[in-house]
Amino acid sequence: MNESTITPSSGPETVASTRQMRWGTFLRNLVKNKLAIVGAAIIFFFFVIAFLAPYIAPHSPSATDLMNRFQPPSAENWFGTDHNGRDIFSRILHGASLTLYIGLLSVSIGAVFGILMGVVSGYYGRWVDTVIMRVVDVLLAFPGILLALAIVSALGPSLHNVIIALSVYNVPVFARIVRASTLEVRKLEYVEAIRALGASDAKIVCQHILPNIVSPIIVKATLQIAVSILSAAGLSFLGLGAQPPAPEWGAMLSDGRDYMWDSPHITIFPGIAIVLVVLGFNLLGDGLRDALDPRNKS
Amino acid sequence: MHIYVIRRLLQLVPVIIGVTLVSFLMLQLIPGDPAQVLAGEAASVEQIEQMRENLGLNEPLPHQYLSFLGNLITLDFGQSVRTDQPVIDIIAPRFWITIELAVWSILVSMFIGLFAGIISATKQYSFADMGIMLVALIGLSMPNFWLGLMLMYWFSIEWGLLPTSGWGDWRQIILPAITMGTAGAAIIARMTRSSMLEVIRQDYVRTARAKGVKERYVIYKHTLRNALIPVVTVIGLQFGYFLSGAILTETVFSINGMGRLVVEAISARDYPVVQGTIIVLALCFVFVNFIVDIIYRLLNKRIEMN
C-alpha cells in the first residue's frame, strides 16, 4: 500500500503542531521550575570545567611534590595537597571529565540496550516478552552496586570495566520503563489503525512508539546518570574503579581516607564535587519529571 | 490470598535460578582457567588438576551448573581459597552483623523519613517543606561512604564522641546506621510526602474535613493510614538496598560484616567467598521483595474490605 494514502492530508500538520505545543508547555514548565534550572546550571558548570581543565588548572594533576605533601588549603593550593604533594584543586578539575564520561557513557550504553529490549518486549509480547522480562528480573535481583561489583571483580578493576558493569546495571532499569510505555502506546487507537493499514513494525516503532516514550526515557536517564556517578565513585573507593594516578574523585576519597586524622581536606573536597554534580543531575531529573507530568498542566 | 502467595512463590523460581546462574557464570568471566582461579595463585600444577577433578570442571558447563546448584541447596558454597574453610562458615557469623546494621539503618531512615515527609506534606510549599525537600535531595546526592567519612571525622576524630570503627557496642552502631540510613531517609521522606499529597486530594478526606473533623484527626486517621501503604513498599526495598550499601559502609567503619568480607575476598582473589557472598546478598534481596509484596497485598486488601 502506498504510504501517502494512509496518512490523512491534515495529519502531519496537526501532529507537528500538537508536538510543538507540547514542547512549548514542556519548556515553559521547565523554566518555571527554578530548581531544574539550578540543576542544569550546575551540570553546565561541570561540563565547562571538564573541557577547560587543561587550560585553567593551576597545576598538573599528576605532578608530585614530596616537599609539599599534606599542605592545607592555601593561596597556592586552593584545596591543599594530597599525600603525594599533588594539587587537589587541579585534580578535581581534571576529574570532572572522568566523572561525566563514566556517567554519560554507562547510561547511554545501558539505555540503548534497555530501550531495545523494552521495545521488543512490549511490542511483540508473548514468549519474547516473558524471556526478556525474566532476564530483567534476574538483573534487578542484585541490589544496588552488587551486580556491578560482581562484574568488576570478575573482569578486573579498571575504568572501562566499571563502565561495562554500570552499563549492564542500567539495562534492566530502562528495559522496564520502556516496556511499560510501549505497552501503553501500542494500545492507542491510532497505532492499531496504522498497523491495520499495513505499516511495518519498524516504521511503527520508530515513528510512533519511540517519539511517544521519549520523555520517560529522558527523565530516567538524567536520574540514572546521578546514580551511576555515585556507584562509580563507590567502586573506585573500594579500589575497583579507575586506577592511580587517575584523578577520579572516588579514588581520591579512597586515598584521603588513610590520612583523615591530620589532613581531612584530602577527603572533603572531592566529596563535595561528587555531591554537587550528582545534585545537579537529580535536580534536573526531578524538574524534567514535573515538567513532563501531564497532571502538572496548570 | 493463598493463590497470590503461591503464584508469587512460583515466580521466584526463575529469578533464583537466574541469580545462581549469573553468579556461576561470573567465575567463567574471569580471564584464565577457573581451576587455577579456585585453587589460588600459589597452587601447583597437580593441585590445579586435582581441583579440576574434584569440582568436575572437565564436565560440560550445564553439568557443572547443575552440580553447583545441587551443592547450593545443601548450603555448600565451596571452600575459601585463602583459609580452606567452608565458605558458609565464613559467611554465617558475618551475615548477622550485616542484617543488624541494616535493621538499625532502616530504623534511622524510617524515623527521620516519615517524620520529615509528614511535616512536608502537611505544610506543602511552606519554608519547612522546601527546606526538607532540598535536604532530602542533597542526602540522595551524597555518596554514603563519604558521609560516613565526614561523620567519622567530626564525631570521632575532632570531637571524640564516638568510636571510629568496630561493631558490638551501641556507640559503634550510631555512625554506621546514620551513614547508611541517610539516603533511605531521603527516599522515604519524598515518598511519604507525595503519597500523602495524593491522598489529601481524595474525596473522602475532603468529606471528613467538610464534616468538621479536626485537622489532626484528618491527617492521622484518614490520610496517613492510607498514604503509608506505598511507603511500606519503599521501606522494604530500602532494607534490600542496605544489604548492598553495607559493602561501602562496613568498609568505611571497619565492620566485619558481609560487605567488608566481599571486598576483602575480591582483593585476595578468593572467588568462592565472593561468589557465596553475592549469592547470599542477592537471595536475601529477592526474599525481602517477596515479603514486601505480600505485606503490600495484605494492607491493600484490608482497605478493600473496609
Side-chain angles (χ1 to χ4, degrees):
Chain A
M1 184 180 279
N2 191 330
E3 296 202 343
S4 62
T5 57
I6 62 166
T7 331
S9 56
S10 63
E13 289 152 42
T14 4
V15 170
S17 59
T18 46
R19 203 167 278 166
Q20 246 166 30
M21 226 168 64
R22 253 197 279 160
W23 276 105
T25 9
F26 161 68
L27 283 177
R28 258 199 308 283
N29 280 339
L30 191 62
V31 173
K32 255 194 294 180
N33 190 329
K34 292 191 188 68
L35 288 178
I37 297 300
V38 174
I42 294 175
I43 296 169
F44 180 73
F45 172 71
F46 276 99
F47 266 101
V48 170
I49 287 182
F51 282 108
L52 296 184
Y55 311 105
I56 56 175
H59 298 272
S60 151
S62 48
T64 56
D65 179 359
L66 294 182
M67 304 299 288
N68 254 326
R69 302 164 69 201
F70 304 116
Q71 290 302 313
S74 64
E76 178 59 27
N77 304 103
W78 290 5
F79 293 170
T81 61
D82 68 3
H83 58 296
N84 284 322
R86 294 173 296 196
D87 180 48
I88 293 175
F89 180 62
S90 305
R91 286 177 68 71
I92 288 179
L93 293 185
H94 280 270
S97 57
L98 273 179
T99 298
L100 292 173
Y101 174 71
I102 298 171
L104 293 175
L105 195 60
S106 63
V107 170
S108 309
I109 298 173
V112 167
F113 284 97
I115 291 169
L116 211 66
M117 282 167 70
V119 166
V120 168
S121 196
Y123 190 78
Y124 291 106
R126 292 144 76 85
W127 66 269
V128 183
D129 181 35
T130 314
V131 170
I132 293 181
M133 281 304 115
R134 285 301 84 78
V135 172
V136 166
D137 283 347
V138 169
L139 292 177
L140 288 174
F142 294 89
I145 64 165
L146 195 63
L147 182 65
L149 185 90
I151 296 173
V152 175
S153 71
L155 295 178
S158 83
L159 183 70
H160 282 104
N161 289 341
V162 165
I163 293 176
I164 293 174
L166 291 177
S167 304
V168 176
Y169 163 79
N170 278 316
V171 168
V173 178
F174 285 95
R176 266 243 168 121
I177 58 156
V178 169
R179 172 179 177 269
S181 314
T182 308
L183 281 176
E184 239 167 66
V185 175
R186 200 185 61 149
K187 272 186 270 166
L188 294 179
E189 252 169 47
Y190 88 92
V191 176
E192 298 252 329
I194 304 167
R195 192 147 61 159
L197 287 166
S200 70
D201 288 349
K203 188 178 154 75
I204 296 176
V205 167
C206 294
Q207 289 196 346
H208 300 284
I209 294 189
L210 283 180
N212 265 306
I213 59 177
V214 160
S215 45
I217 295 175
I218 291 178
V219 171
K220 197 74 203 174
T222 314
L223 295 172
Q224 278 309 110
I225 292 174
V227 176
S228 301
I229 290 175
L230 283 180
S231 304
L235 290 170
S236 291
F237 178 71
L238 296 174
L240 296 170
Q243 297 299 303
E248 206 274 340
W249 297 341
M252 290 169 72
L253 290 179
S254 173
D255 287 342
R257 186 186 167 218
D258 298 334
Y259 312 104
M260 282 277 291
W261 290 88
D262 300 312
S263 307
H265 65 268
I266 305 179
T267 328
I268 291 175
F269 294 109
I272 293 175
I274 298 176
V275 175
L276 268 180
V277 73
V278 172
L279 184 66
F281 282 105
N282 275 333
L283 283 171
L284 182 65
D286 272 5
L288 285 171
R289 186 175 46 205
D290 291 346
L292 291 166
D293 189 347
R295 278 180 301 181
N296 285 356
K297 265 184 202 152
S298 46
Chain B
M1 189 66 204
H2 292 293
I3 298 172
Y4 176 76
V5 173
I6 291 168
R7 220 181 50 210
R8 192 66 185 70
L9 269 175
L10 285 177
Q11 279 175 1
L12 288 186
V13 175
V15 174
I16 292 174
I17 291 178
V19 166
T20 52
L21 185 64
V22 169
S23 316
F24 169 75
L25 290 175
M26 197 190 92
L27 278 188
Q28 309 292 326
L29 258 181
I30 300 167
D33 176 7
Q36 166 88 60
V37 168
L38 290 173
E41 273 161 1
S44 67
V45 181
E46 290 80 32
Q47 279 173 316
I48 293 172
E49 202 44 52
Q50 186 67 36
M51 180 63 86
R52 202 189 308 278
E53 202 56 44
N54 287 349
L55 294 173
L57 291 176
N58 292 321
E59 306 274 320
L61 271 186
H63 271 242
Q64 288 185 37
Y65 173 62
L66 285 182
S67 55
F68 173 76
L69 208 55
N71 289 341
L72 283 189
I73 290 169
T74 59
L75 287 182
D76 176 5
F77 292 88
Q79 286 179 335
S80 160
V81 171
R82 268 189 301 178
T83 61
D84 283 337
Q85 262 180 300
V87 170
I88 186 70
D89 292 348
I90 301 178
I91 292 179
R94 290 158 174 256
F95 176 78
W96 294 110
I97 293 180
T98 300
I99 295 290
E100 199 189 337
L101 173 60
V103 169
W104 284 111
S105 310
I106 206 74
L107 289 177
V108 168
S109 41
M110 266 169 68
F111 185 74
I112 302 175
L114 288 175
F115 190 67
I118 292 170
I119 293 181
S120 238
T122 48
K123 307 221 155 54
Q124 196 188 2
Y125 300 132
S126 71
F127 196 67
D129 174 30
M130 307 227 198
I132 287 173
M133 284 301 114
L134 190 65
V135 171
L137 203 61
I138 293 173
L140 265 184
S141 307
M142 223 184 274
N144 66 5
F145 58 93
W146 181 70
L147 175 65
L149 291 172
M150 291 297 109
L151 290 174
M152 190 197 272
Y153 177 72
W154 293 109
F155 286 89
S156 308
I157 299 174
E158 200 71 353
W159 301 330
L161 295 173
L162 294 163
T164 54
S165 58
W167 189 251
D169 185 16
W170 65 269
R171 295 177 352 143
Q172 290 169 320
I173 294 173
I174 298 175
L175 292 184
I178 295 176
T179 300
M180 214 149 82
T182 300
I187 291 171
I188 292 171
R190 282 157 62 101
M191 189 68 205
T192 307
R193 177 182 186 268
S194 67
S195 176
M196 276 187 74
L197 289 177
E198 197 119 303
V199 176
I200 284 175
R201 292 195 198 113
Q202 300 284 325
D203 286 341
Y204 63 84
V205 175
R206 199 179 314 150
T207 312
R209 279 194 177 137
K211 273 197 312 193
V213 177
K214 270 190 195 145
E215 185 65 20
R216 262 195 21 219
Y217 250 72
V218 173
I219 296 298
Y220 289 99
K221 266 208 110 149
H222 296 268
T223 314
L224 199 56
R225 270 179 54 187
N226 295 316
L228 283 186
I229 292 171
V231 178
V232 169
T233 315
V234 173
I235 292 176
L237 277 178
Q238 279 312 305
F239 186 81
Y241 283 117
F242 285 164
L243 296 174
S244 74
I247 295 171
L248 289 158
T249 308
E250 287 176 5
T251 304
V252 169
F253 290 99
S254 310
I255 299 167
N256 276 322
M258 275 206 293
R260 192 164 176 229
L261 175 67
V262 70
V263 174
E264 285 172 356
I266 288 173
S267 53
R269 310 188 123 258
D270 193 347
Y271 287 105
V273 175
V274 176
Q275 197 179 41
T277 319
I278 287 175
I279 292 177
V280 171
L281 287 174
L283 291 186
C284 278
F285 186 54
V286 170
F287 179 70
V288 169
N289 279 347
F290 168 72
I291 300 289
V292 168
D293 272 4
I294 304 289
I295 293 176
Y296 182 71
R297 187 83 177 192
L298 278 172
L299 290 174
N300 250 347
K301 191 140 188 192
R302 240 183 47 200
I303 287 181
E304 274 164 32
M305 272 157 51
N306 281 353

